[in-house]
Amino acid sequence: ARTRNELAAARGKAAIPLVKELLPIVDEFELASKNLKCETDGQKAIQAQFSALFDKMLGLWLQLGVEKLKAVGEEFNPELHEAVTMIPSEEYKADLVCNELRAGWGIKAGDNLQ
C-alpha cells in the first residue's frame, strides 16, 4: 500500500504543470456553463456532451489526486483561501466563506493536501 501511495503521489506531482496550464480553461468552462441559456433540445444535448467530457476530465484529475477545494460555507483559512472582500450576511456567520469567485484546487500527496 505504501508503494502504491508513493506512485500515486509521484504521478500527481508529474501532472501539476499540465493541470496548472488547464486551470484557467476549467474556470472559464464553469463560468460559461453557469451562464448558458439552453432552450432547444439540440442546445441541451450539446451542453450535456460538453459537461460529460468535463466531468470525465475532472474524474481523471481526481485519480491523480487533484481536486477542487470546498470553500463556500467553510471557515476562512488564509492558507487555502484568498480574501477579496468582507460582506455582511444574514446567511453566513462571520469568518465563513460566503461566495467563491474562482475555485481553489489542491493535490493530495498520500493523505495530505498540498
Side-chain angles (χ1 to χ4, degrees), residues 19-65:
V19 169
K20 280 184 175 179
E21 292 295 320
L22 293 173
L23 283 177
I25 297 169
V26 170
D27 289 339
E28 290 295 323
F29 181 85
E30 288 187 326
L31 182 62
S33 293
K34 289 178 186 175
N35 293 307
L36 279 177
K37 304 281 189 274
C38 294
E39 296 173 2
T40 68
D41 288 342
Q43 291 170 338
K44 290 175 185 175
I46 291 169
Q47 181 186 19
Q49 289 174 335
F50 275 102
S51 291
L53 286 171
F54 184 75
D55 291 344
K56 185 175 181 179
M57 182 189 73
L58 294 184
L60 292 171
W61 285 16
L62 194 57
Q63 289 176 19
L64 294 171

Side-chain angles (χ1 to χ4, degrees), residues 21 40 59 79 85 99:
E21 292 295 320
T40 68
E79 292 183 23
T85 187
N99 191 12

